Amino acid sequence: MALITTPFGRHSTAAEVVQGIDLSGKRAIVTGAASGIGLETARALAQTGAIVTLAVRNTDAGAQVAADIMATTGNRNIHVALLDLSDRNSIAKFIAAWREPLHILVNNAGVMALPEQRTPEGWEMQFATNYLGHFALALGLHDALAAEGAARIVVVSSSAHLMSPIVFDDIHFMFRPYDPWLAYGQAKTASILFAVGATARWFKDGITANVSL
C-alpha cells in the first residue's frame, strides 16, 4: 500500500484544503452543519461548487447558515433539511426524501459528554446520536451513494476514542455507572469501526469511508 502524504497540517484551513478543487454538480450532505466544524465543512464544499445539503435539527438556524454560505461563496445550491439523528423517524423521513445520487456524506453531527440521557428506545443518547443515527443514515443512503460508483463518506471522530472501546456487554450503561466521557469515547470508537466496515463491505460499490480525527 502506497503511503499517502499531504502538504496540509493542523493549522491548515478548510479553504486551503479545497483550493483548486472543482466539485460542480456533485451532491454533498453534511450533518450538524448549523455550527462549528459542520458549518465550515459545508462552506468549504460550497466553495468547490458542490450542491450542499445542510442536515440539521434546527432548520431556522440552518437557513441562516445557508444564507451566510451563499453570500460568502456565491454558490446558490445550498439546501436545508431536517434531520435529528437521535430520532429513527426523522432519519427515515430524510432518507425517503432523498431522490438523487449522492457523492459525499459527511457524518459530522454529534453530542459530547452529556449528562445521562436516553432515546425513547432506552438507548444511551451519545451512542444513539453519534453512531447509531449515522449508521442508519449511511445504510439508508447506500443506493444513492453507489449510484455513480465513486462516493466518499467522511466520519468525524475524535481522539476521545482512546477513552473507551465499545463495551458490547453494556453499550447503553444499563448495568455500570454512567460516565459521560466513556459514553462519548465508545461512540467515537464505534464511528471509526463503522468507517472500516463500510469500506470493506461497500468498496465494490465505489464507496470509500474515511475518518477525520
Side-chain angles (χ1 to χ4, degrees), residues 14-26:
E16 291 170 344
V17 172
V18 301
Q19 187 173 4
I21 295 175
D22 183 4
L23 295 178
S24 299
K26 304 297 184 182

Side-chain angles (χ1 to χ4, degrees), residues 3-10 12-13 16-18:
L3 179 66
I4 298 174
T5 61
T6 174
F8 305 111
R10 60 179 179 170
S12 301
T13 66
E16 291 170 344
V17 172
V18 301

